Amino acid sequence: IGPKNSNYVTSSFDLDGSADYIEVSQSAFSGLTSGFSVSVWFKHDTIGDYDTVVSKWNNSNQREWLFRSSTSDKMEFRLFDESVDKTVGRYYNTALTTGLWYHAVGTYDGSTGAGTNDGILIYINGLRVDDTDISGVDEANFAGLESLNGTLQIGSYLDSSQANFFEGRISDTAVWNAALSASAVEELY
């Protein structure tokens, strides 16, 4: 299923997978600790492990969240609590396909502690699809997101050993300071 608007093909960022990304000042995206949503249209030319669509994640003690393909080309929405060094998240246990446009939305309702993953949702093309908790998470000790100084990265996340660049097209990235409802997500699509 492609985008409803054919302009995505001509008005999207074309990223080469090796050094291209967009960086946005952290000040525009601070204070998302009590819940937020991120929405993005994307189309992979190739899919590699950990290719990141959008993130606010810098491995220099500035990790907050990321929206990326995990191993086996599956969409993952991961949050990190820097104060206790714990991660939580969900993924869509179906591989993405190259050459297709996807509209993805990740929402987080601000939950902490046991049950945090229940407050993390993923929507693809207007439908809720998160079906699996990320393995190795520690919900019970997740105290919540912190408002850190990392920048928003579109097409990458910063890691000391690699940049996890996205290869393909990205368009219409948006962030809200609340968890969007299913009907709001459907309207975006």
Side-chain angles (χ1 to χ4, degrees), residues 1 74 126:
I1 299 174
K74 298 170 182 174

Side-chain angles (χ1 to χ4, degrees), residues 126-147:
L127 301 174
R128 182 174 169 196
V129 296
D130 59 282
D131 54 12
T132 308
D133 289 342
I134 293 172
S135 64
V137 301
D138 188 354
E139 289 180 281
N141 292 309
F142 184 80
L145 285 177
E146 298 170 73
S147 187

Side-chain angles (χ1 to χ4, degrees), residues 3-13 41 101 103 169 171-172 188:
K4 293 179 181 177
N5 184 341
S6 62
N7 290 334
Y8 288 105
V9 174
T10 58
S11 65
S12 58
F13 291 102
W41 281 95
W101 277 102
H103 178 244
R169 293 185 169 275
S171 185
D172 289 356
L188 287 174

Side-chain angles (χ1 to χ4, degrees), residues 15 46-48 74 82 117 124:
L15 305 175
T46 63
I47 305 173
K74 298 170 182 174
E82 198 71 64
N117 280 342
I124 301 286

Side-chain angles (χ1 to χ4, degrees), residues 7-115:
N7 290 334
Y8 288 105
V9 174
T10 58
S11 65
S12 58
F13 291 102
D14 189 5
L15 305 175
D16 68 9
S18 65
D20 291 346
Y21 66 95
I22 299 127
E23 185 174 75
V24 181
S25 165
Q26 68 84 20
S27 62
F29 300 98
S30 60
L32 300 176
T33 58
S34 60
F36 73 98
S37 299
V38 58
S39 169
V40 62
W41 281 95
F42 66 93
K43 179 176 76 166
H44 284 281
D45 289 342
T46 63
I47 305 173
D49 290 350
Y50 310 119
D51 288 352
T52 304
V53 180
V54 61
S55 72
K56 194 165 185 293
W57 188 287
N58 180 325
N59 269 357
S60 299
N61 298 321
Q62 299 294 319
R63 297 170 286 188
E64 292 183 50
W65 56 268
L66 51 78
F67 213 5
R68 68 180 183 184
S69 58
S70 63
T71 57
S72 305
D73 307 337
K74 298 170 182 174
M75 197 68 185
E76 167 186 285
F77 189 40
R78 180 181 294 257
L79 309 173
F80 196 83
D81 180 351
E82 198 71 64
S83 69
V84 294
D85 199 33
K86 301 297 179 191
T87 188
V88 294
R90 305 269 297 155
Y91 70 94
Y92 176 37
N93 197 18
T94 299
L96 300 174
T97 303
T98 59
L100 296 178
W101 277 102
Y102 292 97
H103 178 244
V105 177
T107 68
Y108 167 59
D109 68 3
S111 299
T112 61

